[in-house]
Each structure stands twice: as structure tokens, then as C-alpha cells.
Amino acid sequence: MTGSTTCPSAAAEPGSALFGVVAAKGQVAYITPNVPVTKELLAILGQSGVPVENRLRFSGACMEHRCVQWQGEAGSGRCGLIDQALDVFSIESGAEALPQCGIRNTCRWFAQHHRKACAACPEVIRRPPAD
Amino acid sequence: MASYKFVYTVSGIDLTDAQKAKISEEIAGVVTRGVLGESRAAVRPDLLTLHGVAGGKMVPVDVRGEATAFISGGCGGGEV
């Protein structure tokens, strides 16, 4: 399947975990411990009228070279999404205070950029609204 | 950075895994509704609006308006 790191922009599907709620643009309320995603949980959230992959953040196993975001060869590449996020926001220093994020120990983005990844993380939304 | 911890303990009975999962799901639903309140509309992140980068898949600036279609594969679910 994959390596041992965790993707912080995973799909909402059984097997992934809910780790954050997008309170507003650029603001994520992190939930610890993460909540395992089940069909029932997705149903509950859907019934609430929440656009699930827009207002909620899910984690899952990093798919590495099987992911469209992967840059490089299998086993030796990196996640291009967080690289680009830091670049476009010109983030050069890490977040001063880190939230109690439930995936930091295995987070793919944190592994690549440490605290700087945490500064960019709230800016990422998996599925923007349709225009 | 603000942090809020809510602790609830259920004791006196043995819960099944299904019961524990149900309680966890309900708590997640309550937290989500509590944080979002009535503000449940989809948001458009600056990362996409200003820079053409979607969380599920990078979107070229010239096709930004078609973002939804481009992220359908998504992170973790894309093809090589």
C-alpha cells in the first residue's frame, strides 16, 4: 500500500480520520483524538448540511507515488502540494504556536517542512465550492 | 493558542464496539455543528482563488474555473 506517513488532505471515506473543522477561510479547529470515519459518520455530517470535504479535514495514509501530488520517484519523492503551498504564500518561518493536531507525529507535510507546514496547513481545502 | 478539552466518561456498563463507534460519531457531529454554527456554506480558499492550488490537486491558473472537475481524483486517490 504506502509508507508510514499520513496525508492531511485525504478523502472523506471509511478508513480515513476526521482531524479538523474549517471554522473559516484559513482557520482550522483541530480535533484530538481524530475520529475514525465511517459511513454512519459521513451520513451524520451530510445530514447537517455540511459540505464535508470543504469544511472538514480528513487524514489518511500517504499514497506517495500513487497520488497525483507526488513529486519524484517511488520511495524517494515528496508531496508537491505542501511545497507549493509554502511557496505561493512565501512562508519562511514556522508557526509560533502549534495546535494540538492529532497527526503531527506522522504527518507527511510536517515531515517535509516541520513547523512551516503547520503555518500553511489551515489554508488547504480539499474540495473548493463549485463556481 | 486556545485549546479546549471536553472529557466525558461512560462507566458501569460494557459498551460494544458498535456502541463506542456510534458515540464517537455523534460527538464528531456535535463538534462540527458547534464549531460551524449556522455558517455551513462552502468556502473558497485563497490558496485556490489567488494561486490556483486546490487541496486535492494542483490546478493550473488558466483552468481555475474548472477546479471541481480537476480535483475529483484528489490527494491519495489519484492515478500515476
Side-chain angles (χ1 to χ4, degrees), chain A residues 9 22 25 38 40 48 51 54-55 63 65-67 69 80-81 84 89 97 99-100 125-129 131, chain B residues 1 3 24-25 33 36 39-44 46-48 51 53 55-58 68 71 74-76 78 80:
Chain A
S9 187
V22 179
K25 186 167 61 176
T38 62
E40 290 75 17
S48 300
N54 181 270
R55 299 302 298 267
M63 303 299 287
H65 64 286
R66 295 180 179 83
C67 177
Q69 305 286 6
L81 175 56
Q84 187 162 354
F89 284 116
Q100 294 189 35
I125 287 177
R126 177 180 169 82
R127 188 178 295 273
D131 291 325
Chain B
M1 180 169 289
S3 180
S24 179
E25 290 159 7
R33 292 192 295 272
L36 297 183
S39 175
R40 299 176 192 174
V43 297
R44 187 174 180 87
D46 289 342
L47 191 61
L48 179 71
H51 305 289
V53 181
K57 183 178 180 179
M58 296 175 192
T68 301
I71 65 167
C75 197
V80 176

Side-chain angles (χ1 to χ4, degrees), chain B residues 1-67:
Chain B
M1 180 169 289
S3 180
Y4 306 92
K5 187 172 185 178
F6 304 88
V7 179
Y8 298 92
T9 301
V10 178
S11 64
I13 63 170
D14 292 323
L15 295 174
T16 65
D17 286 345
Q19 287 174 308
K20 288 185 281 188
K22 180 64 176 174
I23 291 170
S24 179
E25 290 159 7
E26 294 289 350
I27 290 174
V30 169
V31 170
T32 299
R33 292 192 295 272
V35 170
L36 297 183
E38 297 303 314
S39 175
R40 299 176 192 174
V43 297
R44 187 174 180 87
D46 289 342
L47 191 61
L48 179 71
T49 302
L50 304 179
H51 305 289
V53 181
K57 183 178 180 179
M58 296 175 192
V59 182
V61 174
D62 57 342
V63 294
R64 195 177 296 169
E66 302 173 25

Side-chain angles (χ1 to χ4, degrees), chain A:
Chain A
M1 169 110 158
T2 61
S4 57
T5 54
T6 302
C7 169
S9 187
E13 58 189 10
S16 57
L18 171 65
F19 77 96
V21 179
V22 179
K25 186 167 61 176
Q27 296 180 7
V28 172
Y30 294 89
I31 302 171
T32 303
N34 303 162
V35 180
V37 173
T38 62
K39 290 180 180 177
E40 290 75 17
L41 173 59
L42 295 177
I44 289 171
L45 297 172
Q47 290 164 6
S48 300
V50 177
V52 174
E53 289 191 346
N54 181 270
R55 299 302 298 267
L56 302 172
R57 293 281 300 274
F58 299 89
S59 64
C62 173
M63 303 299 287
E64 298 188 349
H65 64 286
R66 295 180 179 83
C67 177
V68 294
Q69 305 286 6
W70 193 252
Q71 302 291 312
E73 301 297 323
S76 63
R78 55 193 292 116
C79 178
L81 175 56
I82 189 62
D83 288 350
Q84 187 162 354
L86 265 64
D87 180 56
V88 298
F89 284 116
S90 300
I91 295 174
E92 298 179 350
S93 59
E96 292 184 5
L98 299 184
Q100 294 189 35
C101 172
I103 68 169
R104 187 170 299 123
N105 287 346
T106 59
C107 179
R108 159 62 62 185
W109 297 354
F110 190 80
Q112 290 182 198
H113 292 285
H114 305 286
R115 300 172 76 96
K116 287 191 292 186
C118 302
C121 178
E123 304 289 347
V124 178
I125 287 177
R126 177 180 169 82
R127 188 178 295 273
D131 291 325

